[in-house]
Structures are given as structure tokens and as C-alpha cells.
Amino acid sequence: MMKNYRFLAVGLLALGIVSCEPDLDHPIDEKGSVYSNGEADFTHYVALGNSLTAGYADNALYITGQTNSYPNILAGQFALTQETDEFTIPYMNDNAGGLLANGQQITNNRLVLATDGEGNNSPSVYTGMAPTTDIANILEGPFSNMGVPGAKSYHLGVEGYGNLAGVQAGLANPYFVRFASSPQTSVMADAMAQNPTFFSLWIGNNDVLGYATSGGTGVNQAGNLNPATYGSNDITDPQVFASVYSGLVQTLTANGAGGVLINIPDVTSIAFFNTVPNNALVLDAQTAGNLTAYFSAVSQVFAGGLMAQGVPQEQAMALAAQYAITFNEGPNRFIIDVPVTQTNPLGFRQMTEDELIQLQVDQSALASGYGSVKLTAEVQQVLGLLMAGGTPTAEQANILFSGVNGLDDADVLDSTEISEIQTATAAFNQTIAAVANANGLAMVDANALLNGVANGGFSFDGGTVTATYATGGAFSLDGVHLTPRGYAIVANEIIDQINATYGSTVPKVNVGQYGTITLSNDVQ
Amino acid sequence: MKKLLFLTLFGLAAAMTYAGGYRVGLQGQRRLAMGHTGVAVVDNAELAFFNPAGLVYLEDRINVAVGASAVFSDVVWQNDQYGQMARTDSPVGTPFYAYFSYKASDWLTLGLAAYTPYGSSVEWPTDWSGSHLVNNIDLKAIYIQALASIKISEQLSIGGGPIYVNGSVNFNRNLNRTLSDIDGNRANVTVDASGVHAWGWSLGAMYNPTDKLRIGANYRSEIIVEAENGDADFSNIPNSPLTPFNDTRFDASLPLPAELSIGLSYEISDKWLVAFDYNRAFWDVYKSLDIDFQDPAIPDSKNPRNYKDANIYRFGAQYIANDMFTLRAGYYFDESPVQSGYFAPETPRNDAHGFTAGLSVNITEKLSIDASFLYNRFKEVEESYDYYTENGQNVPFEGSYKSVAFVPGLGVTFKI
């Protein structure tokens, strides 16, 4: 009898020892057992870069954007392979996104997608709360995410780039002011003070982006080797970029840190330039006929004017012929203003196939003749005169010409500007690839990645991410910066390249679990 | 002293789990200790659940059995591809039973029973990777049954009665994988309905071909619980006409499937009894969990389940050690009704091996304390739920699941 009790008691004890917690055979929270860091050491990862690195989106920096920044995504995955230091982020104070400087608002709140009473959706500045992030409140670092919105390649080494006193004069960056360790420090100095064991560097985008988003109104500084003289909308000289960039990487790798370099996307593949098509001038047959007649009149009147000034007929007709633009029912390319030259004395032409219009172009103006013809009563009067077979005076001819309402340079990237941007981007990317190669670092071809998103899209378990504005999923509402989903795609590509270079097995993230744009009618 | 130690050990031993789907097979400590066999065991008032036909063979005039269990059950999920892991932190479930029988005459016994054969309580971390399927669920159903047990002969009896069910459900999940408000708080919905009731019945028969062998069969009907006008509360919805999720009411129905048990018991000697039960749970009825929101602007939620009928094989043995102690042990194999590809984290159940043990201590002639525990062992499975859709595309939710469950239980048997 006693024997039985003992047997049962032992059995009960054995069962009691069985854990209440279910245990998997290969639990991922046993660091290093499932995933390996390979030859990389992710102990202290520091991310350097610009707005893309900071997690900027929807024309602002805000908390959830920072949480979904690609460096924070990477840090979370790195931590599955080994013990790592906490990845610290200079969080904004809110999800509104605007910046204050001593109480004065200096940047706008984020954009949200608002829907009006007719069901039309449009990006609008969020007004649900006033911004509360004042750059005068300096955060205590150090911070692992050193991404500074607006920074160009040559800004990272600039001392005083985080000096509040320099913000107004454009010598310092309000975002860096918030978390610089001192007014005198530089981004690089604060990064290196942390002794990173691993870094990511995605810089150089703004060295062409400002030029592009301003419609090429800045200066292509190719040949000017002094970046101190550059304006914010200029293209950095490729030699300046090369020397700055290799200097940054030399510093970052000096203590043996591994890292990943990310190259510069083609700005012409971003939603910002691919949302308003250059042939969005959609006409019915009658309007097309009217426009064709108008430009035919312009051409004839111009030729007549030239001949009246003694230009031979053949030459006059040849020069004027470019203005006899014909329009067809359906989509037509817009008219743009160009500089007045000898070969284009009236200073306008129709856009060519590859030229681009920027996202923020005034859509209601487009609907009322911006980009084609503004038919004022005076212009119509001159047209009437011509129809009746009359000959316009010089003054009437000028009234007629003034009806041409081309798109401004700032709204358009013309073919010359595009080619300047692409030349510079290609040169920068050549440098980045060479530096990565020379230092044995991982290199991510973000240029190819985002081109892929723009052409065909990126498949994930819940569909396809494309570059289509607002609905495509890759680009936030500013058309330039990415959504959390877009940043997750970038993070996965970075992981792939790190794994390939360092023999690590960092797992990717599930792109479908990252959101896209934010809806809100809390707008004015 | 030894006895005390024994009891203490027993009480401390955390015990374990469940049956397939949201069936909770814990309807009597004595029976559970024998692998939850009992359709052909005449022992105490637990027969009210297992086979009311047997009540009439109980010797005493009044029989009472009351008890409760504590279900410690947790699940871990992991997705290797993306490095994701989550553990449930489910509250301790406390299924109970109370049975009463009264011998009205030599051929008729009347009874009352209350028990909780269905329920589920699973709590995943809020906003975990599978939060678009479930954050947490709490499902309860109490069965109350009036019984009559009729002796047709010393060899044959029948028994059964109507069942009244009162249930409640509270279920929360995120609306999808990404929707959130301006501050990134995930949009979610809680559906809540309580006091939902429905009717069913059970009927059993017992046949005793010899004085050692009993054969039993029992059938409990399917009961479809229809929740009407439940509350659907939407939280963290963006302020946008594109997301018109206003709080509303909902209708939904949940089947509590029918169950057929057949089995036998054999008295090997005065001290030894063995029992075998076969259960078939008719889960095939659970095709889809559909939530019909009354606000027409809110799309209804369709969640295919496509369960299949499932078998449970149960074995138990009892040893009467002396006047004071009776020891029991058992085993069962519980097939999951969940088909591959339909493995939803709200009831993440794969096949279970149940190991049971227990004892009764006869305090007096009339009163016994019954203790049992159950340990459910589950294999680690690689499974997925493939029928969540986004933009018309199925988005599988997959990973490795591993469950454990311990269920200690305590009850009393009283007879006069």
C-alpha cells in the first residue's frame, strides 16, 4: 500500500516540475541561437543620415515616424542576434510634427489625408493639435539615431551645426539643435563619441534633392569646390561629395566598425515628380480645336511681326512654326515657360515626354489655364479681330501672346535639369560604391530599389507597394519621404546586404505590418 | 503525516489542460482523474453529465458532486522568418460543476446539473503580430440541466433532459494589420454579448450485461448560441469619413457542437476498475465565425473556421486502496478539430495528449474529497491561418505554436 502512495507522490512531483510556460524547441529570445550576427558586431549601432534616416514623413518629423524609421527597425532585428545597447532616438514631443523655436513655430505640422464633403481626398496640414516640440529644449543624449532632416553630405562634419543661435541665419539645423551634445559639436563628433561598433550612412540625397524639388531653381555647383558658398537648392559638386563622403567613412571605420552605405535614389522616380503627369491637360475636341487655333494665330501673328521687321519670310515662318502647337482631344502635354532666347523669342514651349511636374503645383490653376492658355476678354477680342481677317497692331499682338500661360520653372523639372540631377546622382553613387568596396562595407542600392518600386512595384503578402502618390504605399504625403511600409522595404534590403557582407542571418521584417499614410479630418 | 504530505503535494502540483476547439473537458474530478472516462461508470453524481442513464443505479437516495478546476493554459507563438514571438498571458480559467440526484423511486431518479463544457480565455499581448486576428477572447457558457433517469431493468436504463445554456463572449481584435489613429494607436473593435441563452438536450442509455461490465452511450445535442444586439465598440479609429467605424450593435452565432460518447467499464476485481470512452465531437458545424454589424457602413466580419468532427479516445483505471483512499489515473488522446490552414490564434489547439491522475479521500461514509489533475501535452506545430484577407488577397498568419496546460481540480462527493 505504502508503495503505491510513494509511486503516486513521485508521479505528482514529476508533473509539478513540468513548466507552466510553454517552451519552443528553438526560441528566438535565446539570443544567437536562431539568428547570428556573423562577423558584424551590432553592440552599439549608430545611424547617420538625413530626413530619411530620422524617419521623417508627411513633411514633418513626429514620434510614430521616428519609431518606424529604418534604423529603429534594423536595431530591433539586430537585437535578435546578440546583446545590443538600447537604440536611442531623439524623439519629438508629439505626433503633430511642427517645430517651435522659443515658442515661434518654424515648421509646419505633418500632412494627413483629409476627405471633404464630396469625398475628395487631399493632403492637408494636420491641425488637431498645436506643435509642442521646441528646439530650445535640448535633449540629453547620446542618441543612436543621428539622422538630421535637411542635412547634406558636407553638413555632417560642420561644427556648430547644432547651435540654436545659428538656425535663423541658416548656419545650423533646427533638428540637430534639439539633440546636439553642445552648440559647438558636429553630427560626426557626437556619433563618434559613442564608439559605434556598427553604423549605417545614408547621406547625399539633399545634395541633389533641394535642386530637384525647387524645380531646378538652384545652381548646379559642378566645378565649385567650396561648399560654404552653396545655397540650399544647389547641386553639390561631385568631387566635393567624393572627398566629404570618403572622409566620413574613414572616420566611421577608424576604430574597426562595420557598416552599411546606402546610395542615392533617382529623385525623378519619387512620387513628388510622378503624380501630376506632364500630359494632364485633358481636353474635349472643341477646346483642343480652340487651343490649336489660338497657337496657330500666335504663330502667324508672330511670323507677321517678324516679317514686318524685315525678317525674310522663310526664316520668319521657320522660327514661328514652333509656336503652332496642335492639341488633340484627350490628354495633351502642358506648355512651360522657358528663358527667352534667340531660338525661342517668345519663351515658351510644350513639355517633352520625359519632363516632370512637381507634386505641389497649383491644381486649381491648372484647371483654369495654367500650363496652357489664359483666354482673357482682351485676348478673345484680338482673336475675334483675327477671325474677321483683321491685322493686329503690335500692342494687340502682345496681348495675344500674353494669353500663353506656361508653367513656371519652379513647377517643372525640364530635360536639362533632369540630366544635371542624374549626372550628379550617378557620380555620387559611383563614389558610394567605390567607398563601400574599398572599405569592405555593405552597400545598398536604394536607387535600384526605389526604381523597382516606381516601375512595377514591390510585392508583399498583402499586395503590391508602388510609388503612386497616397495610394501606392511607398511614399508619404510629401511625395519625397517614405511611409513606414516604404522604410520597412528599405530596412529589409539593408538587412539583405548586411547579411551578404557579414555572413549574418538577421531576419527581415514583415512589410505588411507597417502602415502607410494617416487619415484625418482634423485639418483646417 | 504522510497523508497530509500527499495532499499538499497534490494541491501544489500545477495541473493542466483542455480539449479541442473551445471544449473544456473538465466535468468531474473523479472522471477526469480517469482520463475523463465515465459514460459507463457508476460511481457518483458526476453521471449527471457523463451519462444520466446511470444515475438510477446509484445506491444512495441523494447524491451530490460539486467541484471546480483551475486551468493554467498558455501558448507561445513564434515566426522565424521575421523574428517575432508572443506569449499568451491568459487568466486562470475556473470551470465548475454541480450535480444532484434524488432517487424518487426504485425505477426513477431525478437530477439537476450545472456545468461549463465550453469556454475559452486567451489573452495575447495587445497589438502583437497576430492582433488583426485576436488580442483577447473570453468565452463562457454555463449549462443547466434537469434530468430524469429511468431503470427499465437491472440491465438497462435511460436518462436525459433539457439543457438551458447561458453564455457570454468578449472578443477584441485590431481592425487590420496597420490602421491607427494620429498617435499610432491601433484601431480595434471589442464585441461583447452576455446573457445569451439557448436550449438543448442530452440523452443516454446504460446496459449492464453482467455485474462486472457496463456499456454506456450518451449524446448531447448541438446548441447554436445566437448573440443578438451585442455591443461592438470601435477604438482608435482615425477621424475620417474613409473609416466610418462608429460604435454599433452586432449579431453573431457560435455553435456548441454535439457530442456522442460511447464506452464501457469493467470491474476486474473488488479493487480494480478500468474504463474506456470514445467521444466524437461534431465540430463540423463550426464553419465560420461571422460578425454581422448592424451599422451598414461597417463591413461584416467573416472568419472561416471550417472545423472538422473530432475524436477523443479515453482510458482510465481506478484502484480502491482501502476504505479511505481511491486512486485513479488515465490518459486520453484528443484530436484537434482545427484543420491545417485554419489555425487561428484565438483557439490555437492542436492534438493533445492528456495525462490524468487523482484520488478520493473518504472523510466519512457520506463525504469524500475528490482531487484530480490533468496535464496536456501538445506537440510544437508549424501552422497558419490563411483566410485573413487584405485588398481581396489572403494573408496567411503563420508560425510555430506550442501550448501547455495544467489543470488541478478539487471537488466533493456527498451521498445519503
Side-chain angles (χ1 to χ4, degrees), chain B residues 194-363:
Chain B
S194 56
V196 184
H197 50 86
W199 291 89
W201 53 272
S202 81
L203 184 65
M206 190 174 279
Y207 175 58
N208 313 310
T210 74
D211 61 352
K212 304 283 184 203
L213 178 67
R214 293 183 194 274
I215 298 170
N218 188 55
Y219 180 81
R220 199 168 322 92
S221 74
E222 161 188 310
I223 298 174
I224 309 285
V225 177
E226 311 259 2
E228 282 171 4
N229 275 320
D231 289 316
D233 293 337
F234 292 86
S235 302
N236 303 333
I237 305 298
N239 169 26
S240 167
L242 300 175
T243 49
F245 298 104
N246 297 310
D247 290 354
T248 183
R249 301 267 174 176
F250 78 95
D251 298 338
S253 70
L254 193 72
L256 306 174
E259 193 172 86
L260 173 70
S261 302
I262 53 176
L264 56 84
S265 72
Y266 186 72
E267 220 179 299
I268 296 169
S269 68
D270 287 350
K271 289 187 176 299
W272 284 95
L273 174 86
V274 292
F276 165 71
D277 276 21
Y278 162 78
N279 303 154
R280 187 165 177 85
F282 298 93
W283 280 107
D284 187 51
V285 64
Y286 192 27
K287 295 291 186 203
S288 182
L289 174 61
D290 296 340
I291 301 172
D292 178 7
F293 295 110
Q294 289 178 5
D295 182 339
I298 300 174
D300 295 340
S301 170
K302 310 266 182 206
N303 307 284
R305 290 292 177 262
N306 213 16
Y307 277 27
K308 61 171 198 243
D309 294 348
N311 302 313
I312 311 175
Y313 305 92
R314 303 179 182 279
F315 306 90
Q318 171 176 283
Y319 175 72
I320 299 170
N322 56 30
D323 287 348
M324 180 158 274
F325 289 109
T326 302
L327 307 179
R328 302 183 183 92
Y331 163 81
Y332 64 81
F333 177 68
D334 184 357
E335 279 180 5
S336 173
V338 182
Q339 306 203 56
S340 191
Y342 291 91
F343 204 87
E346 109 235 342
T347 41
R349 297 270 173 257
N350 47 313
D351 294 348
H353 296 273
F355 300 92
T356 68
L359 82 168
S360 290
V361 182
N362 299 322
I363 308 292

Side-chain angles (χ1 to χ4, degrees), chain A residues 423-502:
Chain A
T423 304
T425 304
F428 297 168
N429 285 345
Q430 216 169 359
T431 295
I432 293 170
V435 170
N437 195 35
N439 292 279
L441 299 171
M443 208 283 289
V444 170
D445 191 349
N447 188 292
L449 182 69
L450 291 182
N451 272 336
V453 171
N455 301 296
F458 180 96
S459 290
F460 73 108
D461 64 3
T464 304
V465 178
T466 70
T468 306
Y469 181 69
T471 57
F475 286 96
S476 74
L477 293 170
D478 59 31
V480 174
H481 299 93
L482 303 177
T483 59
R485 185 167 294 167
Y487 284 124
I489 290 171
V490 170
N492 278 350
E493 180 65 20
I494 294 173
I495 288 170
D496 265 348
Q497 295 307 321
I498 289 173
N499 286 344
T501 304
Y502 292 98

Side-chain angles (χ1 to χ4, degrees), chain A residues 222-347:
Chain A
N224 176 358
L225 300 184
N226 181 6
T229 62
Y230 293 179
S232 64
N233 292 338
D234 295 353
I235 296 179
T236 304
D237 172 75
Q239 279 186 51
V240 168
F241 179 84
S243 103
V244 165
Y245 196 88
S246 47
L248 294 174
V249 172
Q250 199 177 3
T251 307
L252 286 163
T253 52
N255 62 1
V260 56
L261 308 181
I262 301 143
N263 77 3
I264 313 304
D266 178 357
V267 295
T268 62
S269 71
I270 64 180
F272 190 79
F273 288 115
N274 292 286
T275 300
V276 184
N278 62 15
N279 66 348
L281 182 60
V282 178
L283 305 172
D284 58 31
Q286 195 192 343
T287 313
N290 289 346
L291 282 178
T292 303
Y294 168 80
F295 281 97
S296 169
V298 167
S299 177
Q300 281 169 31
V301 169
F302 181 66
L306 288 176
M307 285 186 287
Q309 289 167 32
V311 177
Q313 182 180 352
E314 202 177 316
Q315 202 184 328
M317 297 295 277
L319 195 58
Q322 65 181 308
Y323 302 123
I325 301 165
T326 56
F327 292 82
N328 302 309
E329 186 181 356
N332 292 267
R333 285 205 281 276
F334 287 107
I335 305 298
I336 54 171
D337 285 343
V338 294
V340 171
T341 60
Q342 282 206 331
T343 53
N344 189 346
L346 290 180

Side-chain angles (χ1 to χ4, degrees), chain A residues 339-397:
Chain A
V340 171
T341 60
Q342 282 206 331
T343 53
N344 189 346
L346 290 180
F348 73 85
R349 62 173 171 82
Q350 194 170 22
M351 294 182 77
T352 60
E353 192 181 351
D354 295 328
E355 291 178 330
L356 301 168
I357 299 174
Q358 62 111 343
L359 174 66
Q360 286 155 357
V361 67
D362 185 339
Q363 297 273 357
S364 61
L366 288 181
S368 58
Y370 180 49
S372 56
V373 174
K374 192 155 195 179
L375 281 179
T376 59
E378 289 170 302
V379 173
Q380 271 167 342
Q381 213 174 355
V382 179
L383 280 173
L385 173 77
L386 291 168
M387 297 283 277
T391 308
T393 63
E395 195 189 343
Q396 285 172 321

Side-chain angles (χ1 to χ4, degrees), chain A residues 1-2 4-6 8-13 15-29 34-35 62 64 77 80 94-96 110 112-113 115-116 119 121 126 129 460-464 485 492 507-516 518-522, chain B residues 2-3 6 9-10 13-14 72 74-85 87-88 129-130 132 177-184 186 238-243 319 321-322 325 327-328 355 357-359 373 375 380 390-391 393-397 400-404 406:
Chain A
M1 199 58 10
M2 277 326 281
N4 287 318
Y5 293 165
R6 235 177 263 134
L8 188 54
V10 167
L12 287 169
L13 256 181
L15 283 170
I17 290 162
V18 175
S19 167
C20 278
E21 288 276 289
D23 288 318
L24 291 157
D25 295 341
H26 302 287
I28 60 169
D29 51 0
V34 177
Y35 309 111
Y62 51 90
T64 58
Q77 301 303 92
L80 293 164
D94 55 44
N95 280 300
R110 69 195 278 188
V112 288
L113 194 73
T115 306
D116 68 17
N121 303 318
Y126 175 69
M129 75 175 281
F460 73 108
D461 64 3
T464 304
R485 185 167 294 167
N492 278 350
K508 297 205 232 186
V509 294
N510 188 349
V511 167
Q513 289 180 336
Y514 291 81
T516 58
T518 303
L519 311 175
S520 177
N521 266 23
D522 295 329
Chain B
K2 280 213 164 97
K3 282 172 197 163
F6 190 9
L9 276 176
F10 192 89
F72 300 89
D74 271 305
V75 186
V76 58
W77 167 87
Q78 170 172 303
N79 181 305
D80 286 358
Q81 188 185 356
Y82 299 123
Q84 298 167 320
M85 180 183 240
R87 288 177 181 279
T88 60
S129 306
H132 54 295
R177 295 193 292 173
T178 55
L179 185 67
S180 47
D181 68 8
I182 193 85
D183 285 315
R186 299 279 298 275
N239 169 26
S240 167
L242 300 175
T243 49
Y319 175 72
N322 56 30
F325 289 109
L327 307 179
R328 302 183 183 92
F355 300 92
L359 82 168
F373 76 74
Y375 165 68
E380 179 175 330
E390 254 171 42
N391 311 314
Q393 188 163 332
N394 285 24
V395 180
F397 178 76
S400 306
Y401 288 87
K402 174 87 188 240
S403 305
V404 294
F406 292 86

Side-chain angles (χ1 to χ4, degrees), chain B residues 73-214:
Chain B
S73 170
D74 271 305
V75 186
V76 58
W77 167 87
Q78 170 172 303
N79 181 305
D80 286 358
Q81 188 185 356
Y82 299 123
Q84 298 167 320
M85 180 183 240
R87 288 177 181 279
T88 60
D89 185 15
S90 303
V92 177
T94 51
F96 68 90
Y97 61 88
Y99 307 119
F100 168 84
S101 77
Y102 171 73
K103 194 186 276 277
S105 73
D106 179 51
W107 59 271
L108 177 67
T109 294
L110 300 175
L112 271 177
Y115 49 97
T116 54
Y118 290 96
S120 182
S121 188
V122 179
E123 203 161 318
W124 292 96
T126 303
D127 299 337
W128 72 296
S129 306
S131 57
H132 54 295
L133 300 175
V134 59
N135 274 313
N136 55 69
I137 184 168
D138 187 24
L139 176 69
K140 291 192 176 91
I142 297 175
Y143 279 43
I144 295 169
Q145 186 170 17
L147 295 157
S149 180
I150 298 163
K151 188 193 290 183
I152 295 168
S153 73
E154 287 307 320
Q155 279 75 44
L156 185 65
S157 69
I158 58 167
I163 299 170
Y164 167 83
V165 178
N166 192 300
S168 67
V169 64
N170 182 291
F171 175 64
N172 174 275
R173 69 169 171 83
N174 290 353
L175 290 195
N176 61 28
R177 295 193 292 173
T178 55
L179 185 67
S180 47
D181 68 8
I182 193 85
D183 285 315
N185 302 310
R186 299 279 298 275
N188 64 83
V189 60
T190 302
V191 296
D192 186 275
S194 56
V196 184
H197 50 86
W199 291 89
W201 53 272
S202 81
L203 184 65
M206 190 174 279
Y207 175 58
N208 313 310
T210 74
D211 61 352
K212 304 283 184 203
L213 178 67
R214 293 183 194 274

